[in-house]
Amino acid sequence: MSKERHVVIIYPHPDDESFGSAGTIIKMREEGTPVTYLCGTSGNMGRNMGFPPIANRESLAKIREAELDEACRILDCDLRMLGYLDKTMEFEDKMEVAKHLKGLIEEINPSLVITYHPLYGVHPDHNAIAAATIEALRMIDPDKRPKMWARPVERNYREILGEPDVTYDVRDNFERKMEAIAAHHSQADGILGDMLRKAKLDETVMEEAMEVLGVEDYYVWDFAD
């Protein structure tokens, strides 16, 4: 696979970059490729507040943005916040979001854009930002348009979509991926805290975590569709 000029990752929430593409980001950075994460929202409407709670509804946005800063430091990627409201991206005007993204993509000039699959992202925000990303890329001259990889989250996506076009086995960098996930304390401590703590000590728990998070699959988006 040829080296990318610059990779832009477009997901809606703090932690999407770590759960979904941390291993990919690490490998790209090891190859010397710049990576920029465009994060759609602050994640301020999330239900998890840490375990024990470290936030409330008023403080959650700043806490999650600080956690995201730390995760991006661990992953060695740049970060830009897009400023949309959490859990409302499906209600945004898709073409207005697309115009916003198009401007940023043209400014950064990546050779590859990564986002969720617009039909199999599971969360409405995931599907909405993916659909807007596709429209943004459609508006770019085909000669200048970066390629796009779509990441599905649906549990049985391989049965639906077939074998992925690109698979990153991230087990060599798994501890760093887990470190980036763990940086999202307000979310990971409640969801995965016990597993993350045990995984540092228990090989069986680490193997189980790798089974779920050790591979990052993508499908190359065909703009002729």
Side-chain angles (χ1 to χ4, degrees):
M1 194 174 294
S2 60
K3 180 181 174 182
E4 300 296 340
R5 178 175 64 249
H6 195 134
V7 176
V8 165
I9 296 179
I10 306 175
Y11 292 146
H13 306 122
D15 86 349
D16 288 338
E17 81 300 329
S18 295
F19 278 104
S21 295
T24 306
I25 295 170
I26 293 167
K27 285 186 179 291
M28 293 289 182
R29 293 298 298 124
E30 288 177 344
E31 294 170 0
T33 299
V35 177
T36 299
Y37 179 34
L38 303 183
C39 183
T41 80
S42 66
N44 67 304
M45 292 303 291
R47 293 179 61 83
N48 295 308
M49 303 282 180
F51 185 79
I54 58 173
N56 55 42
R57 186 61 64 207
E58 289 185 355
S59 65
L60 189 59
K62 287 187 180 297
I63 287 173
R64 290 203 168 172
E65 287 180 18
E67 292 170 348
L68 179 57
D69 278 337
E70 175 60 11
C72 288
R73 185 196 66 75
I74 293 167
L75 297 174
D76 191 27
C77 70
D78 294 329
L79 168 66
R80 295 198 197 185
M81 302 299 293
L82 300 181
Y84 295 102
L85 294 176
D86 188 23
K87 293 190 176 179
T88 65
M89 290 222 62
E90 64 183 306
F91 304 112
E92 295 282 349
D93 184 314
K94 181 173 70 174
M95 296 312 296
E96 289 301 315
V97 178
K99 290 176 187 175
H100 183 190
L101 293 174
K102 174 177 179 283
L104 291 167
I105 291 167
E106 289 180 327
E107 174 196 333
I108 298 169
N109 191 28
S111 54
L112 170 65
V113 171
I114 294 175
T115 189
Y116 283 114
H117 193 289
L119 299 178
Y120 303 110
V122 174
H123 189 296
D125 281 354
H126 295 182
N127 293 346
I129 205 166
T133 300
I134 290 167
E135 293 306 320
L137 292 171
R138 282 192 199 280
M139 288 191 281
I140 296 174
D141 188 314
D143 293 336
K144 299 179 179 177
R145 179 189 296 153
K147 57 186 174 290
M148 191 194 107
W149 295 353
R151 175 163 171 72
V153 184
E154 192 88 25
R155 186 180 297 273
N156 61 337
Y157 65 82
R158 286 192 176 212
E159 296 174 24
I160 299 169
L161 298 170
E163 287 300 306
D165 298 308
V166 181
T167 295
Y168 274 92
D169 184 332
V170 303
R171 287 173 291 186
D172 288 347
N173 289 312
F174 198 69
E175 288 191 9
R176 195 165 155 206
K177 173 168 181 165
M178 295 290 272
E179 184 183 356
I181 291 172
H184 295 279
H185 291 288
S186 64
Q187 302 180 81
D189 287 1
I191 301 169
L192 297 171
D194 191 49
M195 186 185 80
L196 289 167
R197 284 186 287 275
K198 289 179 179 177
K200 293 180 180 178
L201 305 172
D202 189 320
E203 286 188 7
T204 302
V205 174
M206 181 63 91
E207 287 175 5
E208 290 174 354
M210 283 187 182
E211 186 71 23
V212 177
L213 299 168
V215 173
E216 295 171 2
D217 287 338
Y218 303 97
Y219 293 81
V220 176
W221 194 258
D222 183 357
F223 284 93
D225 288 345

